[in-house]
């Protein structure tokens, strides 16, 4: 059996692997040129043991071949035009990014507090942040309500490194020992999960896996966080959020932004697995889902496909696992501008974008599709779908709808816990 290498060598040398056909030269003797591909075989004479072509058939084959060649030329021209448009669009985008970078650096960032809420800045924000200022804008928009300093990060990183050393050196520690509400078993589990999850974080980039340039950095940020918030520890999905921040910020700033981001109400509800709060978020999402996409909403209902089956993964990783990285960064841009509402608007945008496809699918195929979205998804198509998604229900915005659901839940809770009902 020939190996792949041998086959490639034969192909490169143009040596046929089977017996050569002695009729080949004879069939081509009447041609005025050497055929450049198998397409031209239609012009050749038939073998001597078969009836010869008629003049009409020969003429027809010649016309068919000319049409094939013309078709190939048309395809080549179309491809060349496509590449030219692509290049033109790339240059336009580069110019746009360059111009936007100047505006952000000279007009917006130096006057952040007064400029961030203006209509002009919000429109620029929606169009996508220039990569060179993205991390800085994210950091400013997320803020630092926790007042974490780089020095504090170093303290928790030192604690994490000490724990890693002690866990690797000995296992004879009291299993009942606690640290800020987390048992030793929980902390060891968190550290093991960090190692496992890092290996699965953006695997196609090969930069966060062991031996990659950002492996230790990601390990440090996540380890420091488990020491900073032992009550939460490490939760699967955090590695994707930390990785995106590391790609855009320096180490200490990435940790500060990471900790503050996870402290936001929506992220805290999901990472603490607060079922009651998560159900409120799902209920609010379904209100806007039904109003924006009634047909698809009904289809999901018919197939018993509930929001938790796809939203949890999207929210846990802020779409960085499900979307192409460049598209996910655009989603993060708007998340930093609009807060948690944008996360659910993004979800509705995805459903709108693929509505026709999803309407043809059953439960299993929908769940699989939404878990792994098409890799060729473009940011402009998603954002067009998001722009067509209205986040107003009965004259109430997302925050008002969610607040009303929270109040209804509190009333129901008070009702169930009243002494009269208990008696």
């Amino acid at each position: 059996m020939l190996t792949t290498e041998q086959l490639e060598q034969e192909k490169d040398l143009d040596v046929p692997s089977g017996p050569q056909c002695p009729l080949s030269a004879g069939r081509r003797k009447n041609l005025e040129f050497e055929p450049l591909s198998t397409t031209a075989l239609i012009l050749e004479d038939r073998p001597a043991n078969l009836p010869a072509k008629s003049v009409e058939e020969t003429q027809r084959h010649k016309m068919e071949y000319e049409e094939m060649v013309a078709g190939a030329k048309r395809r080549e021209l179309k491809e060349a035009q496509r590449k030219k448009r692509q290049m033109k669009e790339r240059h336009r985008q580069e110019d746009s990014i360059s111009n936007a970078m100047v505006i952000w650096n000279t007009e917006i960032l130096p006057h952040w507090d007064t400029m961030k809420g203006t209509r002009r800045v919000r429109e620029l924000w929606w169009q996508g942040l220039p990569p060179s200022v993205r991390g800085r804008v994210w950091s400013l928009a997320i803020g630092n309500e926790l007042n974490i300093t780089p020095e504090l990060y170093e303290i928790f990183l030192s604690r994490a490194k000490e724990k890693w050393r002690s866990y690797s050196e000995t296992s004879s520690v009291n299993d009942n020992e606690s640290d800020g509400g987390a048992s030793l078993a929980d902390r060891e589990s968190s550290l093991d999960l960090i190692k496992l999850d890092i290996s699965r974080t953006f695997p196609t980039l090969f930069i966060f896996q062991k031996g990659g340039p950002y492996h230790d950095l990601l390990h440090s940020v996540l380890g420091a966080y488990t020491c900073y918030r032992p009550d939460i520890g490490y939760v699967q999905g955090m590695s994707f959020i930390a990785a995106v921040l590391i790609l855009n910020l320096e180490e200490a700033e990435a940790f500060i932004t990471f900790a503050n981001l996870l402290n936001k109400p929506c992220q805290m509800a999901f990472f603490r697995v607060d079922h009651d709060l998560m159900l409120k978020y799902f209920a609010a999402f379904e209100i806007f889902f039904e109003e924006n996409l009634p047909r698809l909403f009904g289809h999901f209902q018919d197939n018993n496909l509930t929001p938790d089956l796809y939203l949890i993964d999207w929210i846990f990783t802020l779409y960085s696992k499900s979307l192409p990285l460049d598209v996910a960064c655009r989603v993060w841009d708007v998340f930093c501008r609009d807060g948690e509402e944008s996360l659910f608007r993004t979800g509705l945008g995805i459903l709108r974008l693929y509505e026709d496809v999803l309407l043809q699918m059953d439960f299993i195929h929908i769940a699989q599709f939404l878990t792994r979205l098409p890799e060729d998804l473009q940011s402009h198509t998603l954002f067009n779908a998001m722009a067509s998604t209205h986040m107003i229900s009965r004259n109430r915005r997302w925050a008002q709808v969610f607040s009303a659901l929270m109040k209804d839940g509190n009333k129901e809770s008070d009702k169930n816990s009243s002494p009269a009902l208990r008696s």
Side-chain angles (χ1 to χ4, degrees):
M1 177 180 286
L2 291 173
T3 65
T4 304
E5 290 78 7
Q6 289 171 323
L7 289 172
E8 289 297 324
Q9 289 171 1
E10 284 195 353
K11 184 170 69 175
D12 293 341
L13 294 171
D14 198 24
V15 177
S17 57
Q20 297 187 32
C21 179
L23 297 172
S24 178
R27 288 205 304 271
R28 296 181 180 178
K29 64 183 179 182
N30 296 326
L31 295 179
E32 296 176 356
F33 59 91
E34 184 71 15
L36 297 178
S37 73
T38 55
T39 304
L41 291 176
I42 194 172
L43 297 177
E44 298 186 18
D45 294 335
R46 292 200 183 96
N49 60 331
L50 295 176
K53 293 181 182 179
S54 65
V55 175
E56 293 79 5
E57 187 178 12
T58 300
Q59 186 63 26
R60 188 177 76 251
H61 285 176
K62 182 180 179 182
M63 291 175 64
E64 289 175 357
Y65 174 71
E66 288 173 351
E67 178 56 34
M68 291 177 192
V69 172
K73 288 182 178 179
R74 286 194 297 270
R75 288 191 294 273
E76 287 179 4
L77 179 61
K78 189 175 180 180
E79 178 64 16
Q81 290 172 339
R82 186 188 67 82
K83 288 182 177 179
K84 186 177 180 180
R85 287 195 303 270
Q86 259 186 351
M87 187 63 68
K88 186 177 180 181
E89 176 62 18
R90 184 179 300 172
H91 289 157
R92 188 196 66 77
Q93 288 179 352
E94 289 174 354
D95 290 342
S96 176
I97 290 171
S98 178
N99 293 335
M101 182 179 66
V102 173
I103 294 171
W104 279 96
N105 280 321
T106 61
E107 300 179 31
I108 301 173
L109 289 174
H111 313 285
W112 175 254
D113 290 332
T114 56
M115 292 290 290
K116 63 182 179 182
T118 62
R119 182 174 180 178
R120 181 191 179 207
V121 170
R122 289 181 62 80
E123 287 176 352
L124 279 172
W125 214 328
W126 176 265
Q127 293 167 16
L129 297 171
S132 61
V133 302
R134 177 167 271 149
R136 179 67 177 145
V137 173
W138 287 357
S139 177
L140 286 168
I142 291 170
N144 186 13
E145 292 182 354
L146 300 174
N147 295 316
I148 302 173
T149 61
E151 292 75 22
L152 192 61
Y153 166 63
E154 291 297 334
I155 291 171
F156 286 113
L157 178 57
S158 296
R159 290 184 186 177
K161 289 180 177 179
E162 181 58 38
K163 290 181 188 299
W164 294 330
R165 281 194 295 270
S166 65
Y167 292 155
S168 62
E169 291 171 1
T170 177
S171 60
S172 59
V173 183
N174 185 354
D175 282 352
N176 294 323
E177 177 187 345
S178 63
D179 181 5
S183 69
L184 175 66
D186 289 339
R187 284 180 282 130
E188 286 182 320
S189 176
S190 277
L191 293 173
D192 289 339
L193 190 54
I194 287 174
K195 290 180 181 178
L196 177 63
D197 235 16
I198 286 177
S199 67
R200 300 183 295 200
T201 303
F202 298 119
T204 57
L205 297 182
F206 302 109
I207 57 176
F208 294 106
Q209 288 62 42
K210 194 169 184 63
Y214 291 104
H215 172 271
D216 293 345
L217 192 55
L218 182 55
H219 200 261
S220 294
V221 169
L222 295 174
Y225 184 77
T226 62
C227 291
Y228 174 67
R229 291 301 300 264
D231 56 321
I232 298 174
Y234 179 78
V235 180
Q236 196 168 4
M238 285 182 178
S239 64
F240 279 89
I241 296 177
V244 173
L245 291 171
I246 286 170
L247 290 174
N248 290 277
L249 290 163
E250 295 298 323
E251 181 177 350
E253 193 62 34
F255 174 80
I256 293 169
T257 306
F258 179 70
N260 279 278
L261 192 159
L262 296 192
N263 200 53
K264 302 293 182 185
C266 181
Q267 278 61 52
M268 192 56 68
F270 277 79
F271 281 111
R272 277 187 160 171
V273 196
D274 186 326
H275 292 288
D276 289 338
L277 262 181
M278 290 169 70
L279 288 174
K280 297 292 189 303
Y281 278 110
F282 296 149
F285 175 80
E286 286 197 301
I287 289 172
F288 291 94
F289 186 1
E290 184 175 16
E291 293 200 6
N292 278 277
L293 304 164
R295 283 185 63 214
L296 188 60
F297 177 80
H299 184 62
F300 275 35
Q301 292 271 305
D302 293 341
N303 284 276
N304 297 315
L305 197 86
T306 51
D308 56 294
L309 294 174
Y310 50 95
L311 273 183
I312 285 179
D313 194 48
W314 290 351
I315 301 300
F316 264 109
T317 62
L318 297 182
Y319 294 93
S320 55
K321 181 181 177 183
S322 306
L323 294 174
L325 183 56
D326 61 322
V327 182
C329 285
R330 285 285 309 276
V331 169
W332 278 49
D333 291 345
V334 180
F335 166 63
C336 290
R337 188 192 79 163
D338 296 343
E340 64 185 40
E341 174 186 316
S342 71
L343 297 178
F344 298 94
R345 187 181 188 184
T346 300
L348 292 172
I350 291 170
L351 297 179
R352 180 183 295 277
L353 185 60
Y354 295 110
E355 180 178 16
D356 292 340
V357 175
L358 295 169
L359 283 169
Q360 307 303 317
M361 294 182 176
D362 58 15
F363 176 93
I364 295 294
H365 291 95
I366 292 173
Q368 290 175 340
F369 182 89
L370 295 179
T371 299
R372 182 170 294 182
L373 295 167
E375 294 181 0
D376 61 352
L377 192 158
Q378 299 294 312
S379 60
H380 67 274
T381 58
L382 173 58
F383 273 71
N384 287 340
M386 289 168 62
S388 301
T389 300
H390 305 291
M391 298 303 286
I392 296 179
S393 172
R394 298 178 184 177
N395 295 320
R396 297 181 303 171
R397 296 197 63 85
W398 168 270
Q400 294 169 311
V401 170
F402 184 74
S403 178
L405 289 168
M406 289 292 292
K407 288 178 181 177
D408 291 343
N410 291 337
K411 287 178 183 178
E412 187 65 27
S413 177
D414 292 342
K415 181 179 177 182
N416 292 337
S417 61
S418 69
L421 285 173
R422 286 200 302 269
S423 61

